[in-house]
Amino acid sequence: MEETKEKRSFRVTGMTCATCARTVERALKKVKGVDFAAVNLATETAFVVLDKGVPQEVLEEAVKNVGYGVSYEREEDLEARRYAEARKNLILAWCITLPLMVFMFIHMAGRHVPGFMWMEIVGGAAVIFIAGRRSINGAWIALTHGHANMDVLILFGSVASWLTAILASSGVNVASFGTIGAMIVALHLTGRFIESHLRDKASKEIKSLLRLQAKEARILRENGDEITIPLEAVKEGDVLLVKPGERIPADGAVESGRTSVDESMISGESLPVSKAEGDAVVGGSLNLTGLIKVRVTKVGEDAFLSQMISLIQEAQGAKIPIQALADRVTNVFVPVVIALALVSGVSWYINAEKWASFLDWAGGFLPWIADVRDPLSLSVFAFVTTVVIACPCALGLATPMALVAGTGAASRAGLIIRNAEAIQTSKDISAIIMDKTGTITEGKPAVVECNLDAESLEAVVAIERKSNHPLAKAISALLDEDLGEPEELEETSGEGIKGRWKGKEYFIGRPSDPKPYFDFLNEGMSVVEVRRDGVILGYISVADSVREDSAGAIARLKEMGITPVMATGDDERTAMAVARRVGIDEVFAGVRPQDKLDIVRRYQAQGRKVMMVGDGANDAAALKGADVGVAIGSGMDLAIDSADVIIAKGGVSKVVDAIVISMRTFSVVKQNLFWAFAYNVIAIPLAMAALLHPAIAEGAMAASSISVVLNSTRVGKS
């Protein structure tokens, strides 16, 4: 059946806080045909699941209708332009604000500065409306579209302060805070500049992956000519010539030559991987030693690197359950803050004389307390400080920044997070159910012994070539010649495969009686029995070596209090032999696909969070049913599509990495949210009580956002 849904992503411009992201998200969700929309403030990216027929222009219009823009500019170009603009505005703001601050302190010391008030009016206007025009524009967009964001707070705080200079110059009895208005914007721009730099640094994993993509490819034509073409022009079936030291342009298979390839960008492993004729290679990996010819198998969006980038970006843009709390708070935060600021301002205007003694007392140990006591000045002071101190930027960045850092750390470790919720769930895993072949073992079995005659072997190889089972691939390699096509094929997962060959029915699979094969099974080998028309012809014993990291990883899982469990379709003796080797105590052998799902549910019924790790089609149901499904990247597409996390290369040790990264990420999320909440809980009452200076408030607000971003970068550090 034709797929009617598709995923799209695009960059949204003009967002400054979590409220902006939520506004765009709601607008996209209202578009007819859109099933899901998520907007990530940290990456400034919208992710949409929608009907294939929905024009992109409709999405763009929805974004523009709420005051924001859509950009398809290359990320590096966009970031460079933004950086240049931010730097220019920052320099302008401080070139004006610093002299104003010097004159303000001279004025506060009791020395008259000629024309100072006019300096405040003109200089403040330049800083607020020219250097800070992006924030002013963001506030205007928000207000005219019926919502409030962080920029609204900056607008109210800075403009209210600046207006006092105009009022004072007009003879109104009010202290001038014009310089404070300029300081608010200058400190805000400084915080945004530093925050932008740190956010860019935290998401560098995506950019590093993009840089891995080759720009050109060397194509071999049928006549032997070599031509160099852009990567975009490479097609499936093309033969590429890749020299030592060059990146492999596209996914494919080695057609001729031998080499070593650095695949650390997908596996996290630094050791080179040997490649020979027939071996698969991944676009973006580095050819180290030999000249090879590669036949292209996947290009564009189907290529591994493109899919990896897409999945990481999707995970970074998704939301985890804990973010719902932050979203609910920030949704009402700005209107509540404005209301509190108004209450504070009105209260001080009415009660200025009554509360003056309180300020005199506080001024004894807080030097920034306003020395003015007239009602209007105190009212403006409290209003401005409350508005500025409460900007919810840190709260909006708390979860997405940690998520960006977590998915980036996972990608460096060779893990692709397909479902962001898995990051929160993985930390609570208490039982891990693992398939044996391809998960605990290498998944590259080799035939050890075969007692079949030539005719039977031909039939077995011909039939097994139609199966994707790892054992089938090992058996298929016993003969090289083309044997023709078998008939009436029927494969039963967990049992084996049967088919007709030259008029006779063959079955290749699980032994009817394992007793004759105990010697093999006790050594950890798998035994495939061959029957023709119901009569046993012989057997094939196959050995699959245990992955080097399996035993150590399972020991670590036990230390973490996690129960490792093996669930395999193999014979019990084989399964137990492998389990003993790696240290697994709980083993389920001879299980079918449905049995694996039942095992998952059995442990879930005990109140445990269960992770399932597998690589085959027979694992797909269990991967879906588990709290977190982890697929080995070398496995079958069905297993990968059913998983929440993909191990690009490696085995059980990567599962440990996934859990550790989950723990770190969630710990950082909780820390970020705690400090963001705590900051506002402490600061807002102080601001309402006129115990904070607006400049200090703005500096503290900027520092809180920067601290959240800096704390998030700890996720990727061991």
Side-chain angles (χ1 to χ4, degrees):
M1 190 174 76
E2 186 181 354
E3 181 64 50
T4 59
K5 303 293 182 182
E6 65 176 329
K7 298 176 183 177
R8 296 183 201 168
S9 64
F10 51 89
R11 185 171 289 274
V12 178
T13 59
M15 298 189 300
T16 58
C17 68
T19 305
C20 302
R22 224 171 17 260
T23 301
V24 176
E25 196 172 283
R26 284 198 297 266
L28 289 171
K29 286 179 178 177
K30 290 178 182 177
V31 175
K32 188 177 179 181
V34 172
D35 293 342
F36 172 83
V39 177
N40 189 310
L41 175 64
T43 59
E44 298 181 325
T45 307
F47 299 88
V48 185
V49 179
L50 73 172
D51 296 337
K52 282 189 173 181
V54 178
Q56 184 66 17
E57 292 77 15
V58 176
L59 302 179
E60 294 176 10
E61 191 65 26
V63 174
K64 291 174 182 177
N65 285 340
V66 290
Y68 302 94
V70 174
S71 174
Y72 299 100
E73 192 175 356
R74 285 198 315 169
E75 186 176 358
E76 52 264 40
D77 295 338
L78 183 63
E79 291 295 338
R81 182 166 55 79
R82 282 183 175 171
Y83 180 82
E85 184 182 353
R87 184 175 60 180
K88 182 178 68 175
N89 290 331
L90 187 67
I91 293 171
L92 173 63
W94 281 113
C95 283
I96 297 172
T97 302
L98 282 174
L100 287 177
M101 289 173 63
V102 172
F103 293 143
M104 181 184 71
F105 291 131
I106 294 173
H107 189 78
M108 290 170 65
R111 299 187 65 178
H112 178 67
V113 179
F116 174 58
M117 198 167 293
W118 288 105
M119 293 181 198
E120 285 192 304
I121 294 172
V122 176
V127 174
I128 295 169
F129 299 108
I130 298 177
R133 63 188 179 278
R134 187 182 175 196
S135 292
I136 301 301
N137 185 59
W140 177 253
I141 289 170
L143 291 171
T144 54
H145 287 84
H147 62 269
N149 61 12
M150 183 184 70
D151 289 330
V152 171
L153 299 181
I154 297 296
L155 171 70
F156 282 10
S158 60
V159 173
S161 301
W162 177 72
L163 287 174
T164 60
I166 295 178
L167 292 174
S169 67
S170 304
V172 178
N173 184 27
V174 63
S176 176
F177 297 117
T179 300
I180 299 300
M183 290 174 66
I184 289 171
V185 173
L187 285 167
H188 173 65
L189 292 175
T190 303
R192 292 303 299 260
F193 180 80
I194 297 171
E195 177 195 310
S196 176
H197 173 70
L198 294 172
R199 283 167 55 179
D200 180 63
K201 187 178 179 182
S203 60
K204 68 181 182 298
E205 288 79 19
I206 293 291
K207 294 177 183 177
S208 65
L209 288 174
L210 289 168
R211 285 195 292 270
L212 291 175
Q213 293 179 314
K215 302 296 187 291
E216 297 178 327
R218 191 180 292 102
I219 300 286
L220 280 178
R221 296 301 189 194
E222 292 182 359
N223 60 5
D225 291 343
E226 296 179 19
I227 63 167
T228 301
I229 63 173
L231 182 63
E232 294 78 14
V234 175
K235 299 188 288 294
E236 193 175 322
D238 285 343
V239 177
L240 311 180
L241 185 67
V242 187
K243 297 179 180 180
E246 296 180 343
R247 292 205 176 275
I248 297 170
D251 293 5
V254 178
E255 190 156 279
S256 67
R258 299 181 68 87
T259 189
S260 295
V261 175
D262 179 358
E263 294 183 339
S264 57
M265 56 89 177
I266 59 169
S267 66
E269 302 293 337
S270 58
L271 293 176
V273 181
S274 297
K275 299 289 182 181
E277 187 175 334
D279 290 338
V281 290
V282 177
S285 57
L286 185 63
N287 181 27
L288 297 176
T289 56
L291 179 71
I292 55 172
K293 295 178 183 178
V294 176
R295 185 168 293 277
V296 178
T297 55
K298 291 179 180 178
V299 294
E301 293 181 354
D302 294 328
F304 179 86
L305 192 59
S306 297
Q307 291 185 336
M308 187 173 178
I309 292 169
S310 177
L311 289 170
I312 294 171
Q313 289 177 325
E314 188 176 336
Q316 290 181 341
K319 295 183 179 180
I320 59 180
I322 196 173
Q323 193 171 341
L325 173 63
D327 284 348
R328 286 196 297 271
V329 173
T330 53
N331 196 38
V332 297
F333 192 81
V334 174
V336 168
V337 167
I338 293 173
L340 290 174
L342 288 170
V343 168
S344 175
V346 171
S347 299
W348 275 103
Y349 187 81
I350 296 171
N351 299 292
E353 292 184 9
K354 188 188 301 183
W355 295 346
S357 59
F358 167 72
L359 291 181
D360 292 337
W361 168 80
F365 54 90
L366 297 176
W368 55 78
I369 296 292
D371 56 2
V372 294
R373 295 293 180 266
D374 64 275
L376 184 56
S377 296
L378 286 174
S379 174
V380 172
F381 188 91
F383 173 82
V384 170
T385 307
T386 304
V387 164
V388 171
I389 198 72
C391 288
C393 190
L395 197 58
L397 289 170
T399 300
M401 282 308 307
L403 198 58
V404 167
T407 51
S411 71
R412 292 197 303 274
L415 295 159
I416 305 172
I417 310 293
R418 298 185 72 227
N419 178 6
E421 190 172 337
I423 287 184
Q424 181 168 337
T425 307
S426 294
K427 69 178 178 59
D428 298 320
I429 293 298
S430 58
I432 297 182
I433 299 167
M434 293 171 276
D435 180 43
K436 179 181 76 68
T437 305
T439 302
I440 297 173
T441 66
E442 291 284 356
K444 299 177 181 177
V447 173
V448 176
E449 188 173 328
C450 174
N451 69 346
L452 299 174
D453 59 48
E455 182 186 354
S456 301
L457 182 60
E458 285 185 1
V460 168
V461 170
I463 293 170
E464 289 283 54
R465 283 177 179 174
K466 301 300 178 181
S467 173
N468 283 316
H469 195 281
L471 297 185
K473 292 179 181 179
I475 295 169
S476 300
L478 290 173
L479 298 175
D480 294 330
E481 61 265 30
D482 185 8
L483 299 172
E485 295 291 320
E487 302 173 345
E488 299 179 18
L489 290 171
E490 182 183 342
E491 188 167 7
T492 305
S493 192
E495 289 292 328
I497 188 170
K498 69 179 177 181
R500 297 192 72 82
W501 175 259
K502 296 182 178 180
K504 298 175 181 178
E505 186 179 86
Y506 289 83
F507 173 84
I508 308 117
R510 186 193 300 274
S512 53
D513 181 7
K515 290 179 183 177
Y517 312 111
F518 276 176
D519 288 344
F520 295 112
L521 301 175
N522 287 334
E523 292 294 321
M525 299 181 192
S526 298
V527 176
V528 174
E529 191 174 76
V530 180
R531 300 195 289 271
R532 183 173 62 203
D533 297 331
V535 178
I536 297 174
L537 296 179
Y539 65 86
I540 301 173
S541 64
V542 183
D544 186 10
S545 58
V546 173
R547 292 183 185 270
E548 291 182 2
D549 63 346
S550 291
I554 287 165
R556 283 193 66 191
L557 290 174
K558 287 182 175 181
E559 290 172 3
M560 296 163 70
I562 300 171
T563 304
V565 182
M566 180 191 292
T568 177
D570 276 356
D571 179 270
E572 184 175 2
R573 287 179 176 264
T574 303
M576 291 302 300
V578 174
R580 283 194 300 271
R581 202 174 302 171
V582 298
I584 294 178
D585 302 316
E586 299 185 29
V587 179
F588 296 87
V591 299
R592 295 169 174 79
Q594 183 57 42
D595 297 329
K596 290 186 178 182
L597 179 58
D598 290 341
I599 294 166
V600 168
R601 289 171 174 168
R602 183 185 307 179
Y603 281 89
Q604 288 173 331
Q606 298 173 8
R608 299 190 182 197
K609 292 288 185 182
V610 178
M611 177 182 284
M612 174 69 197
V613 187
D615 69 325
N618 60 334
D619 301 316
L623 289 168
K624 276 289 188 185
D627 297 285
V628 178
V630 180
I632 306 296
S634 57
M636 294 186 63
D637 290 344
L638 183 58
I640 293 171
D641 291 343
S642 303
D644 303 302
V645 180
I646 300 169
I647 297 174
K649 195 166 186 178
V652 186
S653 64
K654 299 296 183 180
V655 175
V656 178
D657 292 340
I659 294 172
V660 170
I661 290 170
S662 167
M663 290 176 173
R664 279 195 208 136
T665 302
F666 196 75
S667 174
V668 166
V669 168
K670 287 196 295 185
Q671 291 168 13
N672 286 350
L673 288 174
F674 172 80
W675 287 113
F677 279 121
Y679 163 80
N680 284 294
V681 168
I682 296 169
I684 290 176
L686 292 175
M688 292 180 70
L691 296 178
L692 287 177
H693 195 280
I696 294 174
E698 174 59 33
M701 187 275 291
S704 68
S705 298
I706 293 168
S707 65
V708 162
V709 179
L710 281 172
N711 191 47
S712 297
T713 62
R714 294 194 307 109
V715 174
K717 299 176 181 176
S718 55

